[in-house]
Amino acid sequence: MRACGDGSHSEMNETNIRLCIPEVSATLLNGAALVAPRDVQGVAHRPPPGSNGLLDALLRGAPQNWVEELEAVTMTAGEALVQTGTSPAYVTFPTGGLVSVLVRSGPAANAEVEVAMVGRHDLVGASALLGTDPASHRAVVQVGAPAYRVSAAAIRRLMETCPPARALLLRYVRMGLEEAYQIAACNSRHSLEKRLCRWLLQAHQRLESDTLPFTHDHIAQMLGVRRASVTVALHIIEGERLIRSTRGRVDLLDRTRLQNAACDCCGAIAHNRRVLSLDGSLERAAAPSCTPC
Ligand SMILES: [Zn+2]
């Protein structure tokens, strides 16, 4: 039996088509044009190639008409896409911006610590891929951008019926776990200065920009440290002309030297991404922002 993502639908017998494309329409089987996904206003859109690397890879493996499950939305800064104690209703594929995955470390309002950064080569709501249990974290938009989203139920149905899509998404979940493990180790072992350099490089990779629109307060909360400590660390690396820090903004001036000043965790995360890209699809999806930093 052929897998439904091997690009050979036209050669598949009818039984296999039913297995892999359970809701396919007769017109699609006859080769009619795809119906594009629709946004909240009902306007049809189709994700341009490169909008989200992971979504590109997923659409390569999913049945053609699955694109109709997608909805174009806008992520707004401060919006929580995943709330603690609830099962995500949607899985979101950003086409830009940055989303932080936050875990609460205590009762204080500022006790959330960032354990993962999500950009336009990732998805938000990975816990929904594994079932309907409530999430133990929040996912909050830090820099807004357009995105595509799909209902959690629809993507779980895809995983049940399409082995290539399931394999891709489970590999992505594994990659996310490895990244979280690495960041946990980084937070407990490495100096604030090195962690700060790592964080700035990761933010650069997600935003694909040398200009990072973050305050000292924000960076301190993401790293789980006091603002004054971040200000001191920023001044140190600014004194070495690696960055320029102004109100609400950090500019990366010399990324090569910033990489040398960072701990090895950013490179380890990039290595994990490459190792887990068993067939290259995630590696293609992640390029170029996930090359070793
Ligand atoms: Zn580290």
Side-chain angles (χ1 to χ4, degrees), residues 1-283:
M1 179 183 298
R2 291 180 188 278
C4 59
D6 62 2
S8 54
H9 292 291
S10 61
E11 300 171 16
M12 296 164 71
N13 63 38
E14 191 173 343
T15 301
N16 287 343
I17 289 174
R18 284 204 192 97
L19 175 65
C20 294
I21 314 177
E23 297 172 2
V24 70
S25 68
T27 52
L28 186 62
L29 286 175
N30 290 334
L34 292 174
V35 176
R38 297 179 183 280
D39 64 17
V40 291
Q41 282 83 39
V43 179
H45 290 278
R46 180 176 175 78
S51 299
N52 176 291
L54 182 59
L55 182 58
D56 280 352
L58 187 62
L59 290 174
R60 281 198 294 272
Q64 285 186 326
N65 67 331
W66 192 76
V67 73
E68 296 174 35
E69 302 282 359
L70 296 174
E71 179 184 3
V73 294
T74 299
M75 304 188 307
T76 305
E79 178 185 5
L81 300 178
V82 177
Q83 287 282 15
T84 306
T86 64
S87 179
Y90 296 95
V91 170
T92 304
F93 297 88
T95 68
L98 188 147
V99 179
S100 292
V101 178
L102 304 169
V103 172
R104 183 166 288 279
S105 60
N110 63 350
E112 286 184 316
V113 177
E114 184 181 69
V115 296
M117 283 186 197
V118 174
R120 73 175 192 90
H121 300 285
D122 300 288
L123 61 77
V124 184
S127 62
L129 304 176
L130 304 177
T132 57
D133 289 335
S136 58
H137 60 272
R138 292 203 308 150
V140 177
V141 179
Q142 307 295 354
V143 179
Y148 291 91
R149 73 179 185 183
V150 60
S151 74
I155 205 164
R156 285 195 292 267
R157 281 199 303 274
L158 177 69
M159 293 178 74
E160 290 170 2
T161 55
C162 188
R166 181 173 67 241
L168 175 72
L169 291 169
L170 289 181
R171 201 162 60 249
Y172 179 77
V173 170
R174 166 79 190 281
M175 190 179 72
L177 284 174
E178 297 291 348
E179 290 188 12
Y181 297 157
Q182 191 70 44
I183 289 175
C186 184
N187 287 343
S188 65
R189 286 286 188 181
H190 294 149
S191 70
L192 173 58
E193 197 177 313
K194 287 185 174 293
R195 287 165 54 201
L196 175 61
C197 294
R198 183 264 296 166
W199 190 91
L200 293 171
L201 288 164
Q202 282 195 291
H204 155 78
Q205 289 175 338
R206 300 305 185 275
L207 290 170
E208 299 175 344
S209 171
D210 287 333
T211 297
L212 309 179
F214 300 119
T215 64
H216 294 195
D217 255 339
H218 174 82
I219 297 171
Q221 184 176 351
M222 294 302 101
L223 292 172
V225 298
R226 294 183 304 118
R227 186 185 64 80
S229 303
V230 162
T231 298
V232 169
L234 281 168
H235 282 164
I236 290 173
I237 59 176
E238 188 170 25
E240 297 170 4
R241 301 193 58 75
L242 306 184
I243 64 161
R244 180 173 50 243
S245 176
T246 52
R247 180 178 290 273
R249 168 174 166 171
V250 177
D251 293 297
L252 308 192
L253 302 181
D254 190 333
R255 262 190 284 129
T256 301
R257 290 176 56 225
L258 191 62
Q259 290 165 16
N260 294 335
C263 55
D264 293 335
C265 296
C266 202
I269 288 170
H271 175 74
N272 283 335
R273 286 197 169 227
R274 285 195 301 278
V275 167
L276 291 170
S277 301
L278 299 179
D279 67 359
S281 57
L282 270 182
E283 188 173 23

